[in-house]
Amino acid sequence: MSTNMDRRQLIKKSLLMAGGLSLVPGLVNQLGAKPINSCYRRPYVSDFSTILDGPKVLKARLFANENPFGPSPKAKQAIQDAMAQSYQYPFMFARDFMQTLASAEGLAPENLLISAGSSEILLAAAILFSQKTGSNVVSADPSYEDLPATMEEMKATWKKVPLTAAYKLDLDAMEKAIDGNTSLVYVCNPNNPTATVLEIEQLKSFVDRVSARVTVFIDEAYIDYLPDPKANTMIGAIKQGKNIIVARTFSKLHGFAGLRVGYAFGQPDMIKKLSSYTTGFAGISATSLHAAMASYTDTEFLKGALEKTLASKNYLYSVLKAEGYEYVPSSTNFVIFPLKMDSRQFVAEMEKRGVGVRFWQFNKKEWCRVSIGRMDEMEAFAAAFKEIS
Ligand code: PLP
């Protein structure tokens, strides 16, 4: 935050929150939309049988694309160091953190929104882009459903565009699906659950054309797993003034899924609009903010986590190959592969053996998505898989 105005806005927002005012339900009421509660937001939560109903202790927790090698020792130390001061609202520290993130990308704090995980930003975008009656959102299918599913719940139409034969987003078909009522195009790159990544030049030219007509939301939750994230991020297009939002999270490679830190870059007016539907920095604990600052520059930890993830992933590939299974080559910390049995039954059988994974059904096939865990977890997966496959 560089100006007094920005600081005043930050303080005003956090005082609102400190006073116990819940912003989102009030705003939703103003919009005339259905009120939000945690069940309402996630109609697909029933798929998470492992998480909600499964055994509390698993040998391998491979269903949520977390990074079991994190958080970094420096992040843990930062949490301890920040504890004593954590009776304070982290106004100034949040400003410094935002300045650090923005400067690293050559942008200003006005281009940036931070929040308790990127889910809050997806929710804010869903609220913002559902406002106009009759609006629709275009996304790939399958892809990460949170944002478009929430928009659908808020009465927008969800236009689902099948993936290409290589399980990548079909950008040409997505562009064709856009019409005069499209308020948002959601692009998850790399894509969850298929772990595929787009050719960056193809994505850039898509953004050049499409963002002139409609806002493009690019979810880069898994970008840190690519060999060269800087060459693949679309943050550069924000510097060129494009009408896009780029969301990022510390939940994946940084190992912060439970600490909750996410952020998004966009044009200052868009960030302002999105901000009014989030709690912003006031939703993030001071300890998590300090941890994120420490993790952000801990290149040694990030490199180590990437190497261990790759070793576990290569081991998983070898297990699948040995059992006669194909898989979609992964650019992330999870792998999806087609099953030879009912996917729900497969997940239940794996769960009985202490291994949590997720099921999918698309392209008339049954699929399993396995997150990449520690080597002992991948070995537990392999042992259970060999019994079932
Ligand atoms: N975007 C994608 C593609 C995800 O897979 C996830 C979580 O798995 C999220 C966003 C939300 O992550 P968080 O709210 O933890 O930042």
Side-chain angles (χ1 to χ4, degrees):
M1 296 269 99
S2 56
T3 65
N4 287 338
M5 187 59 183
D6 296 324
R7 190 185 303 187
R8 274 207 303 279
Q9 280 168 353
L10 266 180
I11 292 171
K12 195 175 127 202
K13 183 164 274 183
S14 66
L15 287 177
L16 268 177
M17 294 316 298
L21 288 180
S22 173
L23 290 179
V24 172
L27 289 167
V28 172
N29 286 341
Q30 277 173 35
L31 299 174
K34 280 183 4 186
I36 288 176
N37 62 46
S38 55
C39 297
Y40 152 70
R41 278 208 60 231
R42 293 188 182 271
Y44 53 95
V45 85
S46 57
D47 286 0
F48 282 85
S49 63
T50 310
I51 300 168
L52 299 176
D53 309 323
K56 293 225 162 54
V57 180
L58 289 166
K59 285 187 219 155
R61 187 183 154 103
L62 306 176
F63 53 71
N65 300 345
E66 297 151 345
N67 173 12
F69 309 111
S72 90
K74 284 185 184 159
K76 290 181 199 163
Q77 187 60 49
I79 290 173
Q80 284 185 8
D81 295 346
M83 279 302 288
Q85 297 296 313
S86 60
Y87 68 94
Q88 296 177 347
Y89 295 108
F91 303 118
M92 309 315 170
F93 192 78
R95 183 193 55 192
D96 293 348
F97 180 59
M98 290 178 75
Q99 186 66 61
T100 301
L101 295 188
S103 311
E105 302 293 347
L107 289 163
E110 291 72 20
N111 291 109
L112 176 64
L113 164 62
I114 60 172
S115 67
S118 60
S119 295
E120 208 192 338
I121 292 164
L122 300 183
L123 172 61
I127 296 171
L128 180 63
F129 291 99
S130 302
Q131 289 184 16
K132 214 170 123 206
T133 310
S135 56
N136 69 60
V137 52
V138 172
S139 86
D141 180 37
S143 189
Y144 194 61
E145 296 192 343
D146 194 347
L147 195 167
T150 307
M151 284 186 69
E152 189 177 55
E153 285 294 307
M154 302 183 104
K155 307 285 179 239
T157 301
W158 181 1
K159 289 188 163 190
K160 299 180 185 182
V161 180
L163 301 176
T164 66
Y167 303 106
K168 295 190 179 196
L169 272 60
D170 189 339
L171 292 181
D172 291 338
M174 287 174 75
E175 190 171 349
K176 283 191 192 118
I178 297 167
D179 61 29
N181 289 320
T182 303
S183 60
L184 190 69
V185 178
Y186 173 76
V187 171
C188 186
N189 189 49
N191 189 40
N192 181 6
T194 54
T196 50
V197 68
L198 290 161
E199 299 299 326
I200 189 64
E201 290 311 323
Q202 199 201 357
L203 178 58
K204 278 183 184 162
S205 71
F206 172 85
V207 162
D208 280 349
R209 290 189 307 276
V210 171
S211 68
R213 295 165 65 193
V214 57
T215 306
V216 183
F217 189 112
I218 300 164
D219 188 336
E220 296 187 349
Y222 297 97
I223 195 130
D224 298 322
Y225 285 97
L226 298 180
D228 190 354
K230 282 218 174 302
N232 285 275
T233 180
M234 285 306 295
I235 290 176
I238 292 167
K239 283 179 226 164
Q240 298 161 0
K242 306 270 185 232
N243 178 22
I244 66 169
I245 299 160
V246 179
R248 291 276 188 88
T249 182
F250 278 74
S251 293
K252 305 303 171 183
L253 185 59
H254 288 269
F256 272 49
L259 287 168
R260 315 301 302 137
V261 182
Y263 57 100
F265 285 108
Q267 302 307 329
D269 57 339
M270 178 63 75
I271 290 297
K272 227 178 236 170
K273 282 188 216 161
L274 280 177
S275 299
S276 61
Y277 301 113
T278 76
T279 52
F281 92 90
I284 316 175
S285 69
T287 43
S288 291
L289 272 178
H290 279 268
M293 186 74 119
S295 187
Y296 190 60
T297 49
D298 193 349
T299 44
E300 201 185 321
F301 161 76
L302 298 174
K303 193 167 159 273
L306 274 174
E307 282 166 5
K308 283 181 257 182
T309 303
L310 192 60
S312 286
K313 187 155 64 176
N314 285 335
Y315 171 76
L316 172 66
Y317 287 163
S318 69
V319 170
L320 292 175
K321 271 189 216 151
E323 294 301 307
Y325 281 72
E326 294 185 346
Y327 54 84
V328 180
S330 159
S331 297
T332 65
N333 66 334
F334 54 89
V335 174
I336 199 159
F337 66 94
L339 290 166
K340 300 173 185 173
M341 66 187 281
D342 178 83
S343 55
R344 278 189 167 82
Q345 198 191 333
F346 176 83
V347 167
E349 287 299 325
M350 292 295 278
E351 197 180 295
K352 277 188 211 156
R353 291 162 177 78
V355 177
V357 290
R358 290 280 306 277
F359 64 82
W360 252 271
Q361 287 152 333
F362 59 92
N363 284 23
K364 299 197 182 107
K365 283 187 191 168
E366 304 283 320
W367 300 81
C368 169
R369 192 198 70 187
V370 196
S371 305
I372 303 302
R374 297 181 310 267
M375 196 54 93
D376 64 288
E377 292 180 290
M378 304 323 286
E379 284 165 0
F381 170 89
F385 185 60
K386 281 175 192 164
E387 284 180 26
I388 300 167
S389 65

